[in-house]
Amino acid sequence: MHSFGYRANALFTFAVTILGFMCALASFTDSFNSPSPSVQVLKVNWFQKQPNGNDEVSMTLNISADLQSLFTWNTKQVFVFLAAEYVTPKHVLNQISLWDAIIQEKENAKFTITTSNKYRFIDQGSNLRGKEFNLTLHWHVMPKTGKMLADKVVLPGYRLPAEYR
Amino acid sequence: MGFVGDTVDSIKSLQIRQVLTQGVSLGMIVTSALIIWKALMCITGSESPVVVVLSGSMEPGFKRGDILFLHMSKDPIRTGEIVVFNVDGREIPIVHRVIKVHERGDTGEVDVLTKGDNNYGDDRLLYAHGQLWLQRHHIMGRAVGFLPYVGWVTIIMTEKPIIKYILIGALGLLVITSKE
């Protein structure tokens, strides 16, 4: 009952339980302010209807944001992506991710980047002419251990050209 | 002769009782584990509340050997969520991020495209032949939390089943031979 093996076992179980508990608690110590990003559509590169009938647009974007406040001791990486959101007659919501990046260091979390869309902006249908859309910057904080947190900022008021080009 | 017979009988009955007791204890341990697993399935609403990350397609966020905790709610699926899905005809579930969503207004059905963070292209190569989108019924849960490294035990036991047998044999031996 009081052998070394018995005591070692009890100690080990206790230590592992405490460790698990601390890992769960680790998520609750994260707190942050809301970053305020800005995104501009510098240029619409081209805008066409594909042979299968779906509209596609390619654009060059300028994205700048400061996500440094999201980084804590428990942050492993921040996954940031920019999604275009719009409504069409048949689809009550369409979300297309246009660009994403993985930020692993706090210094890299304040950035400005000019890029064309990484993923193709293709509609299901031919609804994009003159379409109003929001650009939402999402960020997803992945911790070293524990619960993941996600948040976003919606930037409304963008509009696609009225005609193909 | 009668005295010897009595002693032998009493020893035999003691041993049988001990073996039976320990068999029942072992059964209880296994059943409790099963009960906890099924309860987790009910609470999280997912067929498989805990999965092990098997590939490096979500690095550096999730590495091979991490454990993911899943939760499935009726909330609509949105871009950025990390979902676990099964492709028809393949039994190993895949954990990737949603990058495109098209939700129909009339039926509420949704077309979803996923991609691993560390992959160059989207998952259309992984879907079934001719399949371009995932639907809700393919998705088993969303990843809500994770623990690093703990899943290596499962990976080792799957890839080298001999270790599984050795472990179970050793555990069984321990239970049977313990005097308590």
Side-chain angles (χ1 to χ4, degrees), chain B residues 104-126:
Chain B
R104 289 185 66 102
D106 46 2
T107 58
E109 277 168 21
V110 71
D111 282 341
V112 163
L113 180 63
T114 57
K115 172 182 175 290
D117 289 350
N118 205 23
N119 289 345
Y120 181 71
D122 59 39
D123 286 346
R124 290 206 163 116
L125 291 172
L126 294 172

Side-chain angles (χ1 to χ4, degrees), chain A residues 120-134:
Chain A
R120 300 172 66 183
F121 190 157
I122 304 178
D123 186 27
Q124 279 190 342
S126 179
N127 306 300
L128 290 184
R129 273 163 295 177
K131 177 59 72 181
E132 270 189 35
F133 63 101
N134 294 341

